[in-house]
Amino acid sequence: EIVLTQSPGTLSLSPGERATLSCRTSQSVSSSYLAWYQQKPGQAPRLLIYGASSRATGIPDRFSGSGSGTDFSLTISRLEPEDFAVYYCQQYGSSPRTFGQGTKLEIK
Amino acid sequence: QVQLQESGPGLVKPSQTLSLTCTVSGDSISSGHYYWSWIRQPAGKGLEWIGHIYTSGSTNYNPSLKSRVTISVDTSKNQFSLRLSSVTAADTAVYYCARDVGGRYFDYWGQGTLATVSS
């Protein structure tokens, strides 16, 4: 199965700053079949990005995804207070579908 | 508005079978537009896809759990269910049901239900 490694484990930033989260896969992910989710404490994950760069319905344009092959990233252009959460990447190019271990984005 | 709601016992004894049901509203499982998945998350850890089912009843399971998992669907009730046999403490987790877009990503999730394996 494809292993996803997210970095950093924790990212400490202030509101208004730019955040860049990384997701590296152990094998190339076909057709950029990668998604990103946001999870807040006590809540279910929320789909942000699919197809590596397509925003899900209702997701603000400060969220953007990029990458291909084995290296992907999620960028939040200007952090809002509600953006501090845990972020997971997920690949769906190969079965079984797998998730990264998460990056915690915390307020500095 | 699509909503999913998990239900089932919160406590299961070791070696027994964990059974959960997901009730879908705002969408019809029998429409055939989506797959329907189960995903779990141990406390403080990451997410693990368990398996999915299509309206026809066809399934696909994570090989790591395949020998113990059964997912079934009841289109008359707009529900799908998870059974996980021979559970151990390692199966203690929050279990989520989710709408599965083309066997790819998950666009709607239930709130999750905690299943604890303990005697």
Side-chain angles (χ1 to χ4, degrees):
Chain A
E1 70 178 42
I2 296 179
V3 176
L4 282 66
T5 302
Q6 293 185 241
S7 61
T10 301
L11 184 57
S12 300
L13 293 170
S14 300
E17 291 192 294
R18 180 185 185 91
T20 301
L21 289 66
S22 173
C23 177
R24 180 163 291 179
T25 62
S26 61
Q27 303 170 41
S28 182
V29 174
S30 58
S31 304
S32 296
Y33 283 165
L34 190 110
W36 289 91
Y37 301 85
Q38 176 194 68
Q39 186 177 35
K40 297 180 180 179
Q43 296 185 17
R46 177 174 72 143
L47 176 67
L48 298 175
I49 300 286
Y50 62 93
S53 60
S54 296
R55 273 188 301 278
T57 302
I59 302 303
D61 60 7
R62 64 179 182 273
F63 290 91
S64 63
S66 63
S68 63
T70 60
D71 288 296
F72 299 86
S73 62
L74 174 71
T75 299
I76 310 171
S77 60
R78 186 177 172 84
L79 285 166
E80 297 287 343
E82 62 268 26
D83 298 337
F84 292 90
V86 179
Y87 291 83
Y88 293 96
C89 56
Q90 176 235 328
Q91 67 81 23
Y92 50 95
S94 173
S95 187
R97 288 171 280 177
T98 48
F99 293 85
Q101 83 282 14
T103 289
K104 182 179 181 180
L105 178 55
E106 65 176 23
I107 299 176
K108 187 174 183 179
Chain B
Q1 175 83 2
V2 178
Q3 292 185 316
L4 297 92
Q5 178 69 57
E6 305 89 350
S7 60
L11 183 64
V12 184
K13 289 183 168 50
S15 79
Q16 294 192 342
T17 296
L18 181 159
S19 295
L20 298 173
T21 295
C22 182
T23 301
V24 180
S25 58
D27 193 4
S28 172
I29 290 178
S30 60
S31 73
H33 294 151
Y34 300 98
Y35 293 81
W36 301 89
S37 270
W38 286 98
I39 297 155
R40 69 179 183 178
Q41 184 174 36
K45 296 189 178 180
L47 299 153
E48 180 180 33
W49 174 71
I50 299 170
H52 73 215
I53 192 163
Y54 189 62
T55 183
S56 63
S58 66
T59 55
N60 187 19
Y61 301 136
N62 192 321
S64 68
L65 297 167
K66 187 174 185 177
S67 63
R68 299 193 292 129
V69 172
T70 302
I71 298 177
S72 58
V73 65
D74 185 339
T75 55
S76 67
K77 295 181 179 179
N78 218 30
Q79 295 176 334
F80 63 106
S81 298
L82 169 70
R83 287 173 57 85
L84 182 64
S85 64
S86 304
V87 296
T88 69
D91 295 309
T92 293
V94 174
Y95 285 76
Y96 295 100
C97 58
R99 193 173 79 169
D100 182 338
V101 182
R104 299 181 175 187
Y105 51 88
F106 313 99
D107 64 347
Y108 285 94
W109 297 60
Q111 66 185 26
T113 187
L114 174 62
T116 302
V117 179
S118 174
S119 55

